[in-house]
Amino acid sequence: MSSLAAQPPRVPWGDFPDVLIHANESAVKQHPAYKAAKSGHGDAAMALVADTMNLGQNAALQALMGARKPILVSAHAYEQEGVNAIPEIFADELSKTLGWPVDPSVLQVNVVAHTGADGFSRLARQAEFAGTVQAGCDYVMVDDFVGMGGTLANLRGHIETQGGRVLAAVCLTGKPHSAKLSPTQSRLQELRAKHGRQLEEWWIERFAHGFDALTESEARYLARTASFDLIRDRIAQSQQA
């Protein structure tokens, strides 16, 4: 199998809206239920979501969607301790609040161990998704955390390459600068100026997408890396690990 065929699909971002983040990292990660929720305990996840879900962000999401009633789909992530329960519970609570349907059939099918990983490890070990998508339907992605945004990028790629339309993303927490998923033109210009065509051609061969399907955080990370050789070597090391 070629490296192209093995890669999770992605699509260019266009004018995708910023992620709606509900709470700051400390409020979520220092919550007494966080560790249990992250390792798969549903009751702990419900307690965490109840204490940190932001009604103002729910209103902002509803305003963004207008009269549409998109399908909520969560990024079920495998962690070393178990299946992260937070995204699914968060999606269920959003469904109750907003009156939108939830589709639990789209699942992450590999273990990427992103929690605590560095940027190269996140770029090298990308989430893969499977599950039936309703072609022609609108979707909103739900996750517990947005860092570099790669998991959301790959979830969106899975949905859109099967005919769905992803309109927005919402996360319980994340880094404020990571809310922007669509890379700016100035960032893409910076990245191409830094590494030339060599990196993008290698990236397309290795990951089956160009720079316009990177997230803003991924593009920034690559632009701040010293050389193409360093990027190539660190990604290869992370994939082997």
Side-chain angles (χ1 to χ4, degrees):
M1 181 179 293
S2 71
S3 60
L4 265 175
Q7 298 306 315
R10 286 199 187 187
V11 295
W13 288 101
D15 58 353
F16 196 83
D18 291 357
V19 178
L20 291 165
I21 297 175
H22 278 235
N24 62 47
E25 279 193 79
S26 61
V28 173
K29 293 186 175 181
Q30 294 177 19
H31 192 282
Y34 175 73
K35 289 185 178 179
K38 195 78 171 174
S39 60
H41 293 272
D43 288 345
M46 288 187 69
L48 173 66
V49 170
D51 288 346
T52 54
M53 188 167 71
N54 186 312
L55 297 182
Q57 291 294 65
N58 286 346
L61 179 60
Q62 193 156 36
L64 185 63
M65 294 299 100
R68 291 171 292 198
K69 292 186 177 293
I71 299 167
L72 297 163
V73 60
S74 60
H76 300 64
Y78 290 96
E79 304 287 343
Q80 292 180 343
E81 300 82 5
V83 179
N84 182 359
I86 303 169
E88 186 174 9
I89 295 297
F90 188 24
D92 288 343
E93 293 305 304
L94 288 170
S95 176
K96 293 174 186 176
T97 300
L98 300 172
W100 298 345
V102 177
D103 185 350
S105 66
V106 175
L107 303 171
Q108 185 176 322
V109 294
N110 64 335
V111 179
V112 294
H114 279 177
T115 301
D118 67 12
F120 287 113
S121 297
R122 290 173 177 270
L123 288 164
R125 301 194 298 266
Q126 298 202 11
E128 299 178 17
F129 292 90
T132 302
V133 171
Q134 299 179 45
C137 289
D138 297 329
Y139 286 82
V140 167
M141 303 182 294
V142 181
D143 206 353
D144 65 322
F145 176 81
V146 58
M148 292 182 75
T151 298
L152 292 174
N154 289 0
L155 176 56
R156 177 173 175 261
H158 173 74
I159 294 169
E160 297 220 338
T161 55
Q162 293 196 49
R165 293 184 300 268
V166 180
L167 303 179
V170 56
C171 290
L172 196 61
T173 192
K175 301 184 183 302
H177 66 263
S178 297
K180 183 167 187 56
L181 294 175
S182 178
T184 63
Q185 286 303 308
S186 61
R187 183 71 67 193
L188 293 178
Q189 290 169 4
E190 176 190 9
L191 179 55
R192 288 172 175 137
K194 178 69 172 287
H195 299 298
R197 284 292 304 169
Q198 187 179 26
L199 177 59
E200 189 160 14
E201 289 170 358
W202 179 85
W203 202 269
I204 291 169
E205 182 177 352
R206 186 85 176 210
F207 293 105
H209 66 80
F211 287 167
D212 56 356
L214 293 171
T215 68
E216 169 71 5
S217 291
E218 289 173 336
R220 180 174 60 247
Y221 192 86
L222 293 172
R224 293 179 179 177
T225 303
S227 69
F228 163 69
D229 289 340
L230 179 58
I231 292 169
R232 181 193 58 200
D233 294 346
R234 288 294 304 276
I235 285 178
Q237 291 168 6
S238 296
Q239 288 179 324
Q240 290 168 2

